[in-house]
Amino acid sequence: MTSRTLTTALAMALLLPAAALAQREGYSYLSWVGPEVSLVSTAEDDSTARANTPIVVGDRISTGSSSRAEAILADGNVLRIDVQTNLRFDRLARTYEAEDERNAFYLERGAVSLENRSSTTREGATRIDSDDATILFPDRGILRVETGRRGTEIYVVSGRAEVNVRSGRATLRAGQYAFASGDAELEVDWLDEPRDRFTR
């Protein structure tokens, strides 16, 4: 091996770890939890939720009457979970050893606030499902979704969201609100996010 070939081989060997590090995928985890939060995980037997607990696809989180939680997702976005909320993590983008191209959650009851820190395509948009609607959020911004017996409420604080219901679909802009319930027509109006404890 010539000295030039040896030098090239050494340079490549030094560059490979940096390239691998740049392409390495991460993981989603709970960054903050209150005292009454449980995480039923496919990876752990213990359902006690703690800060820095990793989240994997299929996990379910439940919050009590006075506890909230926050999750940092592998793609850098932030999901905040209000009191008395049940949520399932169906897909997690950019997660180690996963092939998911988007985040997807099923909100059974309660409220969540999603902070997208970057924009993406419709195909890569974070998806939130409830019994009444499917919401896609591709833009950088903040989205709040609440669901319960009455139906599902969607608040676009900033950015743009696509709301799909059985009767059709609509695109919401910043400052708009939508209400979905079963087979009823989607109601869209201009309405700010509620000024409640969850928002604060």
Side-chain angles (χ1 to χ4, degrees):
M1 182 180 284
T2 66
S3 61
R4 183 172 183 175
T5 306
L6 182 59
T7 303
T8 303
L10 286 172
M12 290 299 292
L14 290 172
L15 287 174
L16 280 174
L21 184 63
Q23 295 174 1
R24 187 175 65 188
E25 296 173 319
Y27 66 98
S28 301
Y29 64 96
L30 294 175
S31 54
W32 187 87
V33 291
E36 296 178 325
V37 178
S38 65
L39 182 71
V40 178
S41 177
T42 57
E44 297 286 340
D45 294 331
D46 185 4
S47 64
T48 305
R50 301 178 183 87
N52 298 318
T53 300
I55 301 165
V56 298
V57 171
D59 285 1
R60 296 170 179 265
I61 192 167
S62 297
T63 58
S65 59
S66 60
S67 291
R68 297 178 176 88
E70 179 184 81
I72 304 294
L73 307 177
D75 62 1
N77 296 329
V78 181
L79 184 70
R80 297 180 177 96
I81 303 160
D82 197 13
V83 298
Q84 295 185 309
T85 295
N86 292 342
L87 178 86
R88 185 179 69 228
F89 297 88
D90 288 340
R91 293 185 183 181
L92 291 169
R94 297 187 193 169
T95 298
Y96 181 69
E97 293 187 344
E99 297 180 0
D100 294 329
E101 296 180 359
R102 66 161 37 134
N103 295 310
F105 315 110
Y106 173 65
L107 182 61
E108 182 181 335
R109 68 161 187 163
V112 294
S113 176
L114 174 67
E115 180 184 347
N116 267 357
R117 294 187 171 177
S118 61
S119 297
T120 186
T121 62
R122 185 182 186 276
E123 292 70 29
T126 295
R127 173 176 170 164
I128 300 176
D129 290 308
S130 73
D131 286 344
D132 306 292
T134 292
I135 305 108
L136 300 177
F137 194 50
D139 286 7
R140 180 177 182 174
I142 297 175
L143 172 75
R144 174 170 166 164
V145 181
E146 295 184 39
T147 194
R149 292 182 203 169
R150 283 185 56 241
T152 300
E153 298 174 281
I154 302 105
Y155 300 86
V156 180
V157 180
S158 56
R160 174 181 49 96
E162 179 184 308
V163 181
N164 298 272
V165 297
R166 295 176 195 130
S167 61
R169 70 178 184 181
T171 298
L172 304 185
R173 311 284 176 185
Q176 284 191 297
Y177 157 89
F179 177 73
S181 181
D183 296 324
E185 289 288 323
L186 183 67
E187 299 175 24
V188 178
D189 202 349
W190 293 93
L191 189 66
D192 289 336
E193 181 183 18
R195 300 298 176 193
D196 56 12
R197 290 184 177 182
F198 185 40
T199 299
R200 291 196 295 272

